[in-house]
Amino acid sequence: MAEVVKMPKMSDTMTEGVLAKWHKKVGDKVKSGDVLAEVETDKATMDFESFQDGTLLYIGVDEGKAVPVDAVIAVLGKEGEDYKAALEGASAVSSSSTGSSNETAEKPAEEKKPETAAATATATPQVDISKIPATVIRMPLLSDTMTEGVIQKWNFKVGDKVKSDDSLADVETDKATMEVVGYEAGTLLYIGVKEGEAAPVNGIIAIVGKEGTDITPLLQDGASAPAGAPAPAAAPKEEASATPSETATTTSTSADDSRVKASPLARKIAKDKGINLNDVKGTADGGRIVKKDIEGFTPSQVAAASSTQPAQSTAPATAPAAKGAPKPIPQYIGTEKYTDKTVTQMRKTITRRLSESFLIPHFYLTLSIDMDQAIAARNKMNEVAPVKISFNDIVLKACAVALKQHPAVNSSWMGDFIRTNEHVNIGVAVAVEDGLLVPVVRFADGKSLSAISAEVKDFAQRAKAKKLQPSDWEGSTFTISNLGMFGVDEFTAIINPPDACILAVSGIQQVPVVKNGAVVPGNVMKVTLTCDHRVVDGATGSAFLQTLKSLLEEPVRLLV
């Protein structure tokens, strides 16, 4: 008997899933345990396995389309079996629980009224599309906050042969520049997004398949890509539209460097500086050009800078002013200039996240901490530590210990409930060229100062090289933002949702303090705790800061 297959609930917060890829097509034999499809949830892309044997009789959802949990996505049964009854039963259940809006998506094409030939054609696109020897490549979801990606560079052009492990393009997300692999072998038949342009997640960016294949039905089926003839790759004359800052330096040749082996970051820096990669010698494996090669490169020919003469007055000399007359005011003639810079994906996300954060009712608590003993303890520890321990590492460890004693501060606002986290994952704000990244030190309360120091240094290096992965910046329960190295006396930080608090750490200042009734030199650091008043009250936040203060003023307590 035919059985319907429904969209499973793969996470506690999942309400719908996107059919990222079908691994079977109509008519294929399926065994229990076989992977039917890849389903993209709100957390990750996961394999969906079949729980029964049979033949795949019906596919009700196209790749790239989203459907709610428990919606019918396929039917399994015996070969040649009539599956209409199973679909009708599922449609009846669906209509009673989710409304009639889902009925059309769950009924097979044969049940729809053949009003016109066009309606019949659009009702059964799945069978035709599955027989086309070509695969649609869509913009992947490369981070949890990504909504669109910018094609920085196409590594192939239409007509090129590609392998399944080839990097088709470099894509700039809101977090980093990453490579997109097509996972299909064949000929690049279509490029739908030019270099420098953005495409939404799941939007069609390319099609790979058998040479000469008619891909029009695939484009008509994909709402995010226009139908028609394949679009050529981006025009190579990008320099013509570059801003003045992008054309400040010229290179010795204008030859196309699109096929030169280079990392995405190196290619971006070279483009910003106007350096042609053909002129650069790569030092990485196989002659691949990396960031240090670009930064250390000196062009053999530099365009002569146009010499500008100071503006001089050409007005004829006038007769001496009469005695007592006011002296003329010297006039300076200048040129108004400005440079427009395209907003990066990272900056767009920072803007969106900060705008959301300002909906949170913030309040701030500031405390001064005597760092004399912390300075002495750090000097002693660095005499024996395998890696150099910073004050930020000590603050991070002290926060982790204090959070275990004040779990209310280690909480998250989840809308309908407050989640108190038993684990301590501390996000560390790291400044990068385009904005800010917050990699997470997981289970910080259980790690030594040396382990924390090594992990933070690794995060900082990979963040600046745009090598962090989504797993590195997800899952924080508390955040620290430290501007002490810039000599900042005091500042406030904006909460990083869904964390309830963020700690702003300022520099250590040498100031006069009163000890034992005498004014003596002291080392004081100010910290400001920003709290989400929906989760943390003033007394709760103050108690946390008092614990943090006692730990930093007596660092030996961190070892207990």
Side-chain angles (χ1 to χ4, degrees), residues 16 19 64 124 150 185 230 249 260 265 429 478 511:
E16 66 177 12
L19 250 301
T124 58
V150 173
T249 306
V260 177
L265 180 60
F478 185 87
V511 296

Side-chain angles (χ1 to χ4, degrees), residues 127-200:
V127 176
D128 295 333
I129 291 175
S130 66
K131 294 179 181 179
I132 297 176
T135 300
V136 172
I137 310 298
R138 299 180 181 272
M139 176 63 73
L141 182 67
L142 299 172
S143 78
D144 56 330
T145 56
M146 176 181 172
T147 58
E148 65 179 10
V150 173
I151 300 292
Q152 283 287 351
K153 183 72 177 176
W154 281 106
N155 298 326
F156 296 89
K157 61 181 182 295
V158 172
D160 284 355
K161 301 291 184 182
V162 297
K163 295 181 290 186
S164 59
D165 59 348
D166 279 341
S167 171
L168 294 181
D170 299 333
V171 172
E172 179 193 337
T173 73
D174 56 331
K175 304 287 187 181
T177 299
M178 307 173 73
E179 296 180 347
V180 173
V181 179
Y183 300 108
E184 297 291 337
T187 300
L188 184 57
L189 304 174
Y190 172 83
I191 288 178
V193 183
K194 295 180 180 180
E195 292 181 359
E197 293 184 353

Side-chain angles (χ1 to χ4, degrees), residues 91 141 177 209 217 229 316 477 498 503:
S91 298
L141 182 67
T177 299
T477 61
L503 185 73

Side-chain angles (χ1 to χ4, degrees), residues 370-526:
D370 183 349
M371 294 294 286
D372 284 350
Q373 291 196 43
I375 292 172
R378 174 176 176 264
N379 291 337
K380 286 288 186 183
M381 285 185 284
N382 279 334
E383 292 177 2
V384 295
V387 294
K388 186 177 180 180
I389 294 170
S390 68
F391 289 113
N392 190 65
D393 302 329
I394 296 174
V395 172
L396 193 153
K397 177 65 176 179
C399 285
V401 174
L403 288 169
K404 293 296 287 186
Q405 299 179 37
H406 301 274
V409 179
N410 195 43
S411 299
S412 304
W413 176 262
M414 306 303 291
D416 296 331
F417 59 92
I418 296 173
R419 173 173 294 162
T420 301
N421 301 292
E422 297 180 12
H423 58 283
V424 177
N425 291 350
I426 297 184
V428 183
V430 176
V432 295
E433 181 182 357
D434 294 329
L436 198 69
L437 290 177
V438 188
V440 179
V441 178
R442 302 181 187 281
F443 311 109
D445 56 308
K447 293 180 177 178
S448 67
L449 280 166
S450 296
I452 289 172
S453 179
E455 191 169 342
V456 171
K457 286 180 174 62
D458 177 64
F459 278 145
Q461 291 173 357
R462 291 197 287 132
K464 291 176 181 177
K466 296 189 176 182
K467 295 297 183 183
L468 288 178
Q469 297 299 312
S471 58
D472 294 327
W473 62 68
E474 297 171 350
S476 67
T477 61
F478 185 87
T479 306
I480 295 175
S481 180
N482 190 342
L483 293 179
M485 66 288 295
F486 298 106
V488 174
D489 293 338
E490 183 180 344
F491 73 104
T492 59
I494 300 171
I495 290 173
N496 181 32
D499 297 354
C501 296
I502 183 171
L503 185 73
V505 181
S506 303
I508 299 175
Q509 305 292 326
Q510 287 190 326
V511 296
V513 297
V514 178
K515 291 186 178 181
N516 300 322
V519 178
V520 297
N523 294 281
V524 175
M525 179 180 74
K526 288 187 177 181

Side-chain angles (χ1 to χ4, degrees), residues 5-18 39-44 46-48 51 67-71 73:
V5 179
K6 297 184 177 182
M7 174 62 71
K9 186 178 178 70
M10 293 179 156
S11 76
D12 55 341
T13 57
M14 176 180 173
T15 58
E16 66 177 12
V18 175
V39 175
E40 180 187 320
T41 73
D42 58 333
K43 303 289 187 183
M46 307 171 70
D47 290 339
F48 174 41
F51 295 100
V67 294
V69 170
D70 288 333
I73 60 175

